[in-house]
């Protein structure tokens, strides 16, 4: 490998054209319907995660509207308690497991290699396997809902309600199976992202030069690695309780509260697993739309890392009413309040960056400004419910429903929609309609606050959560009707965003390579990027490579020696990002898809108590063998 300045002659270079054609041929995904199941390119898999995640999000919105229809008036009979509990549970499972984490990981899978200046992820077939497992999990859950056998004990599925004695049907078996699938998918993506971030940065991109969004994804990935194993254990134990007659969570011989500890040790970090990537998106948008470096790069990075650590010490504040020792509750009250400090540090750094600038108030920036207001309200109510005396009164009321929607929707969904507007030109090569985008923001912002802010009052008036109806005369009628009507406005905002994205695919203005004049490397290639991402592996010398120097990135050197006749990426050192090796990558393969199908067949056989798990194990063995079987002249794994 060697480093040289890039060719800069205005005369067409035959070698350049030949190398580009070779790269396109080497990295191209094969065409055709059946070949679609073999794609492994990071842009293909990342976009599938994003699109599939938003499809599940729209399904979750429909379920939420059905719930609000039922709760619009007292003693409503739109649906009975059994169906309501299934819809209520599926709404939570969809939003938390099938939308929030997968879509954040999808954005990361698509954007992170581009930000790092590399041509693909480190293990592309593993990446594809994670997507197929995720897709099969979501399809299984909605098949269960359409068959009226969906889980009905909430997205948290507390025993003993989730045990075989109180939930004898297949609904909770689907739950434990899908949770396991989602664990596999999320862990696969997290490991991929950690390896890619540490080893595939362009030369010169040391750790203290990585974009803040890359830092946020790195912290999110480590949190997934540490948070999901407890849920793996818990879901396996619950499955054994239900299917094998074990007694882990029974009141007679086990401990139902043990499930709460294991679940929330995952569940509360999950909030920050969703939230931390949104922080990185906000920093990226603010840097671009103020056209200035971020104020306090190091404090922001340390704050993100601090949130990752402190987030694992808060889970018990979900359990203050479970009869825990007072000393332990006091500790978790303190840690719950403490996590507001790094979040506040980031907000003050963002304000300092905005201060004195003249930011472009385009649609992505509007969603960031909306985040500020909504998340601050959610953070303040979070400090309230972290206090044991207040939580004793507000626990399991609609006050908590309002709080976590302000934190999750305001704190993660608004930055995510802003990020979609921001990176849409990179995804498609076209701009979303700015006029429709601003209208959509205001409809969504107003609809959100009209929907969820009154829930604080409903909770303080004593309305419990997780109820399918309520009697007349309790003083909740008008607020519930108002909330249900406002939910329609909020849903309209989401639909307008979808229409804007779909219409802009064909009619959007051509974006060019860097329409925002942004600073990071994903904008240094064409929009959308070619299958190989970058023709040259660049050398960077700044945190803001597209803004450095008088001529921008074109003045920097490039790495020579990366082959174009096979899929190959450059590996660099972790700290200083010095070139170390060239790594060949495998090409398109059907085996990740078939392995995902075999794994699904194995778990489904165990869930349905059929004699097919052995067949599934044999198919898994066959798929893994096909996956790793060496091929002459090509990487096999």
């Amino acid at each position: 490998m060697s480093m040289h300045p890039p060719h800069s002659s205005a005369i067409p270079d035959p070698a350049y054209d030949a190398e580009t054609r070779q790269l396109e041929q080497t990295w191209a995904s094969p065409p055709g319907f059946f070949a679609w199941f073999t794609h492994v390119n990071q842009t293909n898999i990342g976009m599938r995660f994003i699109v599939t995640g938003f499809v599940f999000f729209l399904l979750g919105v429909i379920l939420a509207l059905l719930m609000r229809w039922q709760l619009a008036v007292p003693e409503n009979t739109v649906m009975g308690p059994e169906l309501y509990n299934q819809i209520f549970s599926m709404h939570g499972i969809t939003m938390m497991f099938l939308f929030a984490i997968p879509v954040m990981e999808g954005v990361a899978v698509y954007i992170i290699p581009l930000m790092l200046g590399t041509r693909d992820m480190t293990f592309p077939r593993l990446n594809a396997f994670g997507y197929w497992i995720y897709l099969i999990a979501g399809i299984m859950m909605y098949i269960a809902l359409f068959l009226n056998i969906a889980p009905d004990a909430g997205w948290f599925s507390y025993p003993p309600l989730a045990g075989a004695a109180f939930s004898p049907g297949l609904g909770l078996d689907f739950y434990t199976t899908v949770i396991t699938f989602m664990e596999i998918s999320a862990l696969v993506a997290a490991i991929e992202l950690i390896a890619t971030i540490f080893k595939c940065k362009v030369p010169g991109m040391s750790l203290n030069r990585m974009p803040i969004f890359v830092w946020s994804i790195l912290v999110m990935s480590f949190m997934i690695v540490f948070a999901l194993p407890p849920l793996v254990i818990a879901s396996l134990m619950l499955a054994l309780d239900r299917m094998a007659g074990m007694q882990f969570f029974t009141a007679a011989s086990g401990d139902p509260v043990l499930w709460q500890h294991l679940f929330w040790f995952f569940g509360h970090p999950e909030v920050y697993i969703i939230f931390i990537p949104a922080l990185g998106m906000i920093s990226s948008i603010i840097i671009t739309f103020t056209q200035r470096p971020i104020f306090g790069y190091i404090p922001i990075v340390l704050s993100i890392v601090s949130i990752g650590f402190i987030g694992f010490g808060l889970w018990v504040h979900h359990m203050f009413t479970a009869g825990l020792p007072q000393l332990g509750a006091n500790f978790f009250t303190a840690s719950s309040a403490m996590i507001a400090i790094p979040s506040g540090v980031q907000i003050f750094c963002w304000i300092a960056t905005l201060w004195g600038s003249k930011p472009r108030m385009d649609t992505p920036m509007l969603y960031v400004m909306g985040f500020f207001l909504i998340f601050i309200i959610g953070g303040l109510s979070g400090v309230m419910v972290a206090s044991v005396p207040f939580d004793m009164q507000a626990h399991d009321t609609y006050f908590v429903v309002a709080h976590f929607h302000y934190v999750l929707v305001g704190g993660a969904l608004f930055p995510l929609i802003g990020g979609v507007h921001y990176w849409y030109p990179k995804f498609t090569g076209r701009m979303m309609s700015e006029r429709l985008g601003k209208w959509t923001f205001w409809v969504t912002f107003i609809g959100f606050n009209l929907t969820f802010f009154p829930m604080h009052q409903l909770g303080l008036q004593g309305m419990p959560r997780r109820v399918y109806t309520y009697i007349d005369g309790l003083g909740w009628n008008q607020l519930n009707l108002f909330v249900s009507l406002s939910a329609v406005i909020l849903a309209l905002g989401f639909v307008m965003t979808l229409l804007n994205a779909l219409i802009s695919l064909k009619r959007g203005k051509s974006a060019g390579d860097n329409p925002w004049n942004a600073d990071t490397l994903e904008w240094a290639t064409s929009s959308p990027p070619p299958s190989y991402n970058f023709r040259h592996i660049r050398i960077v010398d700044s945190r803001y490579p597209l803004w450095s120097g008088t001529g921008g990135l074109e003045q920097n050197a490039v790495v020579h020696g990366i082959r174009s006749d096979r899929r190959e990426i450059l590996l660099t050192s972790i700290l200083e990002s010095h070139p170390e090796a060239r790594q060949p990558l495998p090409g398109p393969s059907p085996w990740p898809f078939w392995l995902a199908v075999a794994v699904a067949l194995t778990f489904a056989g165990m869930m349905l108590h059929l004699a097919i798990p052995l067949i599934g194990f044999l198919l898994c063995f066959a798929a893994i063998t096909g996956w790793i079987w060496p091929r002459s002249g090509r990487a096999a794994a």
Side-chain angles (χ1 to χ4, degrees):
M1 290 179 293
S2 60
M3 294 182 289
H4 299 286
H7 184 83
S8 59
S9 173
I11 301 174
D13 183 1
Y16 176 93
D17 294 337
E19 183 178 357
T20 302
R21 286 194 297 270
Q22 181 68 65
L23 283 170
E24 290 172 349
Q25 181 180 356
T26 301
W27 287 88
S29 297
F33 174 77
F34 292 105
W36 190 80
F37 294 92
T38 70
H39 293 180
V40 296
N41 286 32
Q42 134 261 337
T43 50
N44 296 129
I45 304 302
M47 185 53 61
R48 291 180 190 181
F49 267 110
I50 295 169
V51 172
T52 307
F54 274 106
V55 169
F56 283 125
F57 171 74
L58 292 175
L59 293 173
V61 169
I62 293 171
L63 296 178
L65 291 175
L66 292 174
M67 286 192 293
R68 288 315 315 173
W69 186 13
Q70 167 67 16
L71 294 173
V73 295
E75 301 180 75
N76 206 348
T77 58
V78 172
M79 63 185 77
E82 294 84 4
L83 180 58
Y84 181 88
N85 285 339
Q86 290 187 37
I87 290 176
F88 160 76
S89 302
M90 281 295 297
H91 170 72
I93 292 169
T94 299
M95 293 305 195
M96 300 302 289
F97 292 118
L98 299 178
F99 165 65
I101 292 180
V103 80
M104 290 297 187
E105 288 185 326
V107 172
V109 166
Y110 194 107
I111 294 295
I112 289 299
L114 293 168
M115 273 194 173
L116 299 177
T118 188
R119 287 177 174 168
D120 208 332
M121 304 281 283
T122 48
F123 309 109
R125 291 186 182 178
L126 193 63
N127 204 21
F129 170 72
Y131 170 75
W132 292 119
I133 282 288
Y134 157 60
L135 179 64
I136 292 171
I139 291 173
M140 287 177 61
M141 286 306 302
Y142 274 87
I143 288 175
L145 179 62
F146 291 134
L147 295 177
N148 200 32
I149 54 173
D152 57 1
W155 76 280
F156 37 79
S157 292
Y158 285 172
L161 179 61
F166 294 95
S167 298
L170 288 174
L172 271 298
D173 296 329
F174 273 99
Y175 176 86
T176 56
T177 301
V178 168
I179 292 300
T180 303
F181 280 22
M182 294 309 305
E183 293 154 3
I184 295 172
S185 176
L187 283 168
V188 161
I191 293 168
E192 282 261 30
L193 289 165
I194 291 171
T196 301
I197 291 170
F198 276 150
K199 297 300 296 179
C200 298
K201 304 185 296 296
V202 294
M205 187 180 284
S206 54
L207 290 181
N208 68 339
R209 289 177 179 170
M210 290 197 313
I212 291 175
F213 182 70
V214 177
W215 272 109
S216 69
I217 296 301
L218 181 63
V219 173
M220 175 202 77
S221 301
F222 271 109
M223 291 187 73
I224 289 174
V225 169
F226 286 100
L228 263 67
L231 187 61
V232 173
I233 296 170
S235 60
L236 176 61
M237 293 165 69
L238 181 59
L240 290 173
D241 272 10
R242 293 181 54 82
M243 300 178 190
M246 304 295 282
Q247 302 288 320
F248 292 112
F249 302 125
T250 62
S253 303
D255 184 4
V257 178
L258 174 61
W259 167 269
Q260 295 188 38
H261 281 289
L262 292 172
F263 182 85
W264 288 117
F265 189 80
F266 150 80
H268 199 83
E270 185 192 21
V271 173
Y272 296 101
I273 288 169
I274 299 166
F275 174 58
I276 285 176
L279 300 179
M281 293 177 185
I282 292 168
S283 293
S284 297
I285 292 171
I286 288 178
I287 291 170
T288 297
F289 285 88
T290 59
Q291 292 290 288
R292 58 167 59 175
I294 195 74
F295 179 89
Y297 173 91
I298 292 177
I300 286 181
V301 170
L302 293 178
S303 296
I304 292 173
V305 176
S306 299
I307 291 173
F309 276 105
I310 300 172
F312 282 93
L314 312 181
W315 81 92
V316 173
H317 82 218
H318 294 270
M319 302 167 56
F320 282 160
T321 60
L324 302 176
Q326 187 63 48
L327 181 60
N330 292 341
F331 169 82
F332 286 98
T333 293
S335 61
S336 299
M338 183 170 61
I339 202 168
I341 296 173
S343 300
V345 168
Q346 294 195 70
I347 290 176
F348 282 115
C349 287
W350 293 328
I351 292 174
T353 306
L354 291 166
W355 195 268
S357 69
K358 295 181 180 179
R360 291 173 52 188
M361 295 306 297
D362 290 344
T363 304
M365 196 65 194
L366 285 178
Y367 277 98
V368 169
M369 303 307 289
F371 154 84
F372 281 142
L373 177 62
I374 293 173
F375 181 72
I376 289 173
I377 293 174
L380 291 174
S381 62
V383 174
M384 294 169 69
V385 297
S387 173
V388 175
F390 183 86
D391 187 72
M392 287 289 194
Q393 304 302 315
H395 190 78
D396 276 347
T397 70
Y398 261 75
F399 188 94
V400 177
V401 177
H403 158 68
F404 70 69
H405 279 88
Y406 263 85
V407 170
L408 287 176
V409 178
L413 184 60
F414 267 62
L416 175 62
I417 298 176
V420 169
H421 279 81
Y422 176 63
W423 280 306
Y424 188 87
K426 180 53 56 181
F427 297 150
T428 66
R430 295 185 179 274
M431 304 292 291
M432 293 181 72
S433 168
E434 190 62 30
R435 181 178 181 182
L436 182 56
K438 290 180 177 178
W439 275 102
T440 298
F441 165 76
W442 286 111
V443 171
T444 305
F445 181 78
I446 294 171
F448 173 84
N449 285 283
L450 293 179
T451 300
F452 292 105
F453 196 83
M455 290 185 183
H456 292 98
Q457 183 65 27
L458 281 170
L460 293 175
Q461 291 180 357
M463 182 173 177
R465 58 197 288 206
R466 308 169 192 157
V467 292
Y468 87 102
T469 191
Y470 52 95
I471 62 174
D472 195 5
L474 297 176
W476 306 336
N477 298 13
Q478 292 181 342
L479 279 177
N480 269 302
L481 180 60
F482 181 81
V483 166
S484 295
L485 294 175
S486 300
V488 177
I489 300 175
L490 177 59
L492 177 62
F494 295 144
V495 171
M496 290 171 65
T497 300
L498 174 63
L499 292 176
N500 193 356
L502 294 177
I503 293 171
S504 299
L505 278 175
K506 297 295 184 182
R507 300 183 182 180
K509 183 175 66 175
S510 180
D513 293 347
N514 188 2
W516 309 117
N517 191 28
D519 63 300
T520 42
L521 288 179
E522 75 269 27
W523 303 104
T525 185
S526 60
S527 299
S531 57
Y532 49 89
N533 286 351
F534 300 93
R535 181 176 182 269
H536 289 297
I537 304 300
R538 302 283 183 171
I539 314 298
V540 302
D541 57 3
S542 167
R543 290 175 185 163
Y544 310 97
L546 299 194
W547 292 350
S548 63
T550 57
L553 192 66
E554 293 81 10
Q555 301 301 314
N556 291 349
V558 299
V559 175
H560 284 196
I562 305 298
R563 291 173 57 172
S564 59
D565 60 340
R566 70 174 183 177
R567 294 181 178 227
E568 191 172 85
I569 59 174
L570 175 67
L571 301 184
T572 55
S573 60
I574 294 177
L575 295 180
E576 297 298 330
S577 197
H578 297 311
E580 289 186 336
R582 297 176 300 175
Q583 175 64 44
L585 297 181
S589 170
W591 294 115
F593 170 75
W594 288 117
L595 180 58
V597 172
V599 170
L601 184 64
T602 303
F603 277 88
M606 291 187 291
M607 177 181 67
L608 298 173
H609 307 283
L610 299 177
I612 58 175
L614 180 59
I615 299 175
F617 280 123
L618 293 175
L619 292 175
C620 287
F621 178 78
I624 293 173
T625 302
W627 184 327
I628 66 175
W629 195 264
R631 291 162 174 79
S632 60
R634 297 174 60 188

